[in-house]
Amino acid sequence: DSLRYKSLFFSGPRSRESYDSLQRSLPPGKRDSWLERKLNYRAIEINKRYQKNEREFWKDLLDVFIHSFPYLLFLSLPLYALFLKLLYIRRKQFYYTDHGIFLIHLYIFTFIVLLGLFGLMKLDDAFDTSLFNWIQFLLILFGTWYTVAAMRNFYRQGRTKTIVKFLLFNFLAFISITFLFVFFFIVSIFRV
């Protein structure tokens, strides 16, 4: 039966040559697809490199993924500006670049909030108290309120319209960032 990609660490062929030989021995309809073949080639390389040391592999993969995070943000900014352009398409006074500049403002604010959250998480680890959890919760509430208030102030629309557009924007952002995360995770696997 054909070797099917199950995980990066499998007990199949130990070299590309043996994998290719196995694939050639199968009828064309049972051979792996192009993507399965590429994933199996990568799994063979990872098996050779890490010699079944999954912990070391995941550490390196996370490191590569974290270093690709700026690229993810770089790609998400114009995409999110497009989402805002579409949400505020009837507001002709706002150009695409206006939405981009507004998003840069929100990105900076988000980084500051994340810095505070990470600091509070470290303090929570050091001191066993629920106070830091409450402060984190309040910081997240403040961040959400601030984003809605910033949208309302920048685009000059009513509270209800702003909240609806905020929710729509976050839904679109969630869908797109999920795809970007998956894409960059797969790229990271091939860069390990």
Side-chain angles (χ1 to χ4, degrees), residues 140-182:
I140 290 170
L141 280 180
F142 171 73
T144 304
W145 171 83
Y146 180 85
T147 303
V148 172
M151 285 178 72
R152 187 166 184 239
N153 184 45
F154 185 76
Y155 293 109
R156 302 277 184 219
Q157 285 192 325
R159 187 171 280 123
T160 305
K161 273 188 176 180
T162 301
I163 290 172
V164 168
K165 289 182 180 184
F166 170 79
L167 293 173
L168 277 171
F169 175 72
N170 279 294
F171 174 74
L172 292 170
F174 176 76
I175 298 293
S176 63
I177 203 73
T178 301
F179 282 116
L180 286 173
F181 264 101
V182 168

Side-chain angles (χ1 to χ4, degrees), residues 102-130:
F102 175 69
L103 282 171
I104 290 172
H105 166 82
L106 285 181
Y107 270 42
I108 292 169
F109 172 75
T110 302
F111 291 140
I112 292 169
V113 168
L114 286 173
L115 181 65
L117 285 173
F118 290 143
L120 287 167
M121 285 169 35
K122 288 291 184 185
L123 287 172
D124 188 40
D125 289 344
F127 304 102
D128 192 26
T129 178
S130 64

